[in-house]
Amino acid sequence: MQLLRVCSGGSFDYDKDLIESLSKSVIDVNAFIGSLNSPGKRYYIRVNVLKISPGELYDRLRGYGLKVFFDEVLEEALWFPVEGPYNVKDVGRYVFVDKRTAESVFVGANVYAPGVVKAKGIRRGDIVNVVGPKGIIVAEGEAVVNGEEMEKMKKGLAIRVYKSCYRLPKLRELDEYAYGYFYEQSFPAILTTHVLDPKPGDIVIDMCAAPGGKTSHIVEYTSGKARVLAFDHSKSKIKRLQETLARLGHDGLVEVFKADSRYLDIDFPWIKADKVLLDPPCTSLGVRPKIYDEKKYIDVVNNARYQRQFIKVAYKILKPGGILVYSTCTVTLEENEENIAYAEKIGFKVIEVERIVGSNGKGKHYFNDMVLRFYPHIHDVTGYFIAKLIKI
Ligand code: SAH
């Protein structure tokens, strides 16, 4: 039996070259890595303004006794304070879950059956610890079904969590969630659509759309009056995108395609876009909380190379004068500023992003000061990058 650790102690295993790469874009690498193990102090949701006003949702949430606040900058954003850290006891009975599940249970979510890896010998009603990979205990809760069922069930509640390392309201269990009144999204991710600034009548392409956070925001931002085309190459991700759109009530307002966006210019030669959002897969180094992480510099190199393939196609599918917004949830130069340098080489020009919050990247550590950068250890949000470019 492996040694169990409570709430923290997961290691961040980054190879020497990755640390060196990080030191070019993150001034204090230790503080950065140290911040990844805890959640930010604020947990954001975006109000679906096509269904409800921010004020009305605020009142309903306050009506449940929840602590919720308006964001100072973004009108459609509300946030909840993340409470903790709390102490979780080792109760001697364990249900093992996958990393993604462990990271949401870490901040207070319940365990649903698909996230369960092993629940041998657990009986309904047992008090158990939820344990993530590497033996990290993230919560205590009550099993609501027997262990064998948890392992087999395709969906449904497995463990009701009542003590976790950090705590947030169980938002997905609210009627307001089912009604599609909000979408959980980080502050910089919400900001990205503001940077894109799509207008009614625009043809907007979301090249890497699933699970649909930004696609759905584009619909809301334009009151459903832009022509939005959303692409993703993965069948299961397309399903999640469609579920998001259906829950929010946007299903008729987006054209969804399963396609490899590296070839959109060839497979969809009729596309002439006003705006393109490119939010490609990345090393996700800015995402937190993480109970542990393992990455190598080669992951950065491979991601950066992959991302450039999309940038090239974004250029081809845009009208002259069209806008590309490029965003990632990572902090390396290779996947961010260096890719923007590549974009400039093929004919894009960077447009300065209005600085609402975030680091303007002045100083020798940065490629230029036209882009937006967010750091978890400085701005207390997801580590993020946003750049705006025009096709000239
Ligand atoms: N923009 C989304 C998150 C995107 S994550 C949101 O705001 O919710 C990156 C997505 O890119 C993943 O869903 C992944 O399936 C998709 N992706 C990866 N490679 C792709 C490719 N070659 N073509 C299209 N989509 C791709």
Side-chain angles (χ1 to χ4, degrees), residues 183 185 206-215 231-234 237 259-262 277 279-281 306 310:
Y183 186 87
Q185 198 171 30
D206 190 344
M207 292 179 74
C208 294
K214 299 190 182 72
T215 310
F231 296 88
D232 206 282
H233 74 155
S234 144
K237 294 277 184 77
D260 187 329
S261 296
R262 292 173 299 167
L277 177 70
D279 186 37
Y306 195 55
F310 297 108

Side-chain angles (χ1 to χ4, degrees), residues 46 183-185 189 193 206-216 231-238 240-241 244 257-264 277-282 284 306 309-310 327 329 384:
R46 185 190 84 230
Y183 186 87
E184 295 157 88
Q185 198 171 30
T193 297
D206 190 344
M207 292 179 74
C208 294
K214 299 190 182 72
T215 310
S216 55
F231 296 88
D232 206 282
H233 74 155
S234 144
K235 194 174 158 206
S236 60
K237 294 277 184 77
I238 286 282
R240 289 189 56 204
L241 169 62
T244 300
F257 300 92
K258 181 183 164 310
D260 187 329
S261 296
R262 292 173 299 167
Y263 309 103
L264 288 188
L277 177 70
L278 174 52
D279 186 37
C282 69
S284 303
Y306 195 55
Q309 294 182 270
F310 297 108
S327 60
C329 54
Y384 223 80

Side-chain angles (χ1 to χ4, degrees), residues 49-65:
V49 295
L50 295 192
K51 285 206 170 178
I52 193 167
S53 72
E56 205 178 323
L57 182 60
Y58 173 92
D59 288 342
R60 291 179 75 127
L61 296 171
R62 283 269 161 180
Y64 296 132

Side-chain angles (χ1 to χ4, degrees), residues 40-53:
K41 289 198 182 61
R42 294 178 172 198
Y43 186 82
Y44 275 87
I45 60 171
R46 185 190 84 230
V47 181
N48 175 5
V49 295
L50 295 192
K51 285 206 170 178
I52 193 167
S53 72

Side-chain angles (χ1 to χ4, degrees), residues 128-326:
V128 299
N129 283 129
V130 181
V131 186
K134 312 271 178 195
I136 298 168
I137 294 177
V138 291
E140 181 185 321
E142 183 187 336
V144 297
V145 290
N146 291 335
E148 307 92 78
E149 279 173 71
M150 283 184 205
E151 289 176 4
K152 269 189 285 176
M153 277 158 40
K154 291 243 171 347
K155 60 178 182 188
L157 186 62
I159 299 166
R160 191 175 303 285
V161 166
Y162 50 76
K163 241 185 235 165
S164 47
C165 304
Y166 290 87
R167 201 177 304 144
L168 270 173
K170 290 181 172 51
L171 297 175
R172 296 197 179 198
E173 262 129 72
L174 299 175
D175 287 344
E176 285 72 8
Y177 177 82
Y179 299 157
Y181 287 172
F182 64 89
Y183 186 87
E184 295 157 88
Q185 198 171 30
S186 74
F187 177 90
I190 302 176
L191 187 62
T192 305
T193 297
H194 288 259
V195 174
L196 184 69
D197 194 25
K199 302 282 188 219
D202 275 352
I203 298 174
V204 187
I205 309 296
D206 190 344
M207 292 179 74
C208 294
K214 299 190 182 72
T215 310
S216 55
H217 194 193
I218 291 168
V219 171
E220 292 155 26
Y221 193 94
T222 55
S223 307
K225 293 194 178 100
R227 181 172 179 201
V228 184
L229 286 77
F231 296 88
D232 206 282
H233 74 155
S234 144
K235 194 174 158 206
S236 60
K237 294 277 184 77
I238 286 282
K239 196 167 155 252
R240 289 189 56 204
L241 169 62
Q242 279 161 334
E243 283 165 4
T244 300
L245 297 173
R247 182 175 66 84
L248 298 174
H250 302 347
D251 17 8
L253 301 172
V254 179
E255 296 162 55
V256 175
F257 300 92
K258 181 183 164 310
D260 187 329
S261 296
R262 292 173 299 167
Y263 309 103
L264 288 188
D265 57 319
I266 298 163
D267 297 336
F268 299 82
W270 45 268
I271 294 180
K272 299 273 177 288
D274 297 291
K275 308 245 158 89
V276 170
L277 177 70
L278 174 52
D279 186 37
C282 69
T283 51
S284 303
L285 293 166
V287 175
R288 61 175 186 159
K290 288 187 173 90
I291 54 171
Y292 73 94
D293 202 19
E294 286 163 356
K295 281 199 182 86
K296 295 189 174 18
Y297 183 62
I298 187 73
D299 300 323
V300 174
V301 174
N302 288 337
N303 271 288
R305 201 175 289 148
Y306 195 55
Q307 290 150 357
R308 286 182 189 203
Q309 294 182 270
F310 297 108
I311 293 174
K312 199 155 115 194
V313 170
Y315 188 82
K316 292 185 180 161
I317 62 176
L318 272 167
K319 294 176 184 167
I323 297 291
L324 168 66
V325 166
Y326 177 83

